[in-house]
Amino acid sequence: MAGKIIVESVTDSLAVGSNIIESAKSEIVWLLPPEMLIFASQFGLTDKCKTLIENGGRVRGITRVTKTYAKVIGELLDIGEEVRHVDRYQGAFMLVGDKKESISSIYLDLKALSLDDQLRAFWTDNLAYADYLMSTFEFEWESAVEIKSVV
């Protein structure tokens, strides 16, 4: 039986995301609000993605690219992550490792996101759910705008 838990804070979702990235061997995909990218960098998730890439893995992400977050997005591009832009970002997030382990949330209030905020995210290692998230990601990836550099 697949494992599953409800994650109830931004801090805990970062810890779960860190574990998913650390255990991945070939690929990470993510759809995150740019606000979460700042936290991901501060909590070492970006460094773990860099290690995965250095070991031959691939990291692809979708976010809303703005001047406010240009520095952190530029850092992702510099380490070899592939990042695409979407205008219509609504606050959902997902992270999937090796098409088998995932964390996702349907809604995240982005008005004043902080580490202390409560949220409801779902972690699972259910392959069918990971496949569903991957299909959603691939659909969004195809329609998102490729980012080569951030000025």
Side-chain angles (χ1 to χ4, degrees):
M1 176 178 241
K4 54 190 175 284
I5 60 169
I6 301 297
V7 180
E8 298 185 348
S9 72
V10 172
T11 302
D12 289 346
S13 70
L14 288 164
V16 169
S18 180
N19 288 338
I20 292 171
I21 294 167
E22 194 170 300
S23 65
K25 302 291 185 234
S26 62
E27 183 180 41
I28 291 291
V29 301
W30 54 261
L31 171 66
L32 293 169
E35 296 86 351
M36 287 287 279
L37 296 176
I38 301 289
F39 295 142
S41 178
Q42 292 171 342
F43 277 74
L45 279 70
T46 303
D47 292 335
K48 290 179 182 190
C49 285
K50 181 180 179 186
T51 300
L52 177 65
I53 293 166
E54 288 171 345
N55 291 328
R58 183 179 187 195
V59 179
R60 297 184 293 151
I62 303 170
T63 193
R64 186 182 69 252
V65 178
T66 66
K67 286 184 180 183
T68 304
Y69 302 103
K71 182 178 184 221
V72 72
I73 293 166
E75 291 169 0
L76 300 177
L77 294 171
D78 289 346
I79 65 167
E81 288 195 35
E82 300 167 53
V83 180
R84 292 196 177 180
H85 165 77
V86 292
D87 282 324
R88 61 199 182 288
Y89 193 86
Q90 297 296 318
F93 75 84
M94 72 170 78
L95 185 140
V96 182
D98 288 341
K99 301 178 182 175
K100 59 184 177 184
E101 188 177 7
S102 65
I103 184 169
S104 61
S105 175
I106 294 173
Y107 177 76
L108 184 62
D109 184 3
L110 302 175
K111 290 181 179 69
L113 188 64
S114 77
L115 291 174
D116 298 324
D117 283 350
Q118 295 295 305
L119 61 81
R120 295 297 178 266
F122 179 66
W123 169 87
T124 185
D125 59 1
N126 180 291
L127 297 178
Y129 193 71
D131 187 52
Y132 161 74
L133 291 177
M134 288 299 300
S135 295
T136 302
F137 178 87
E138 294 297 348
F139 177 81
E140 289 298 324
W141 182 258
E142 291 304 316
S143 62
V145 177
E146 185 175 359
I147 304 298
K148 296 276 188 191
S149 66
V150 180
V151 180

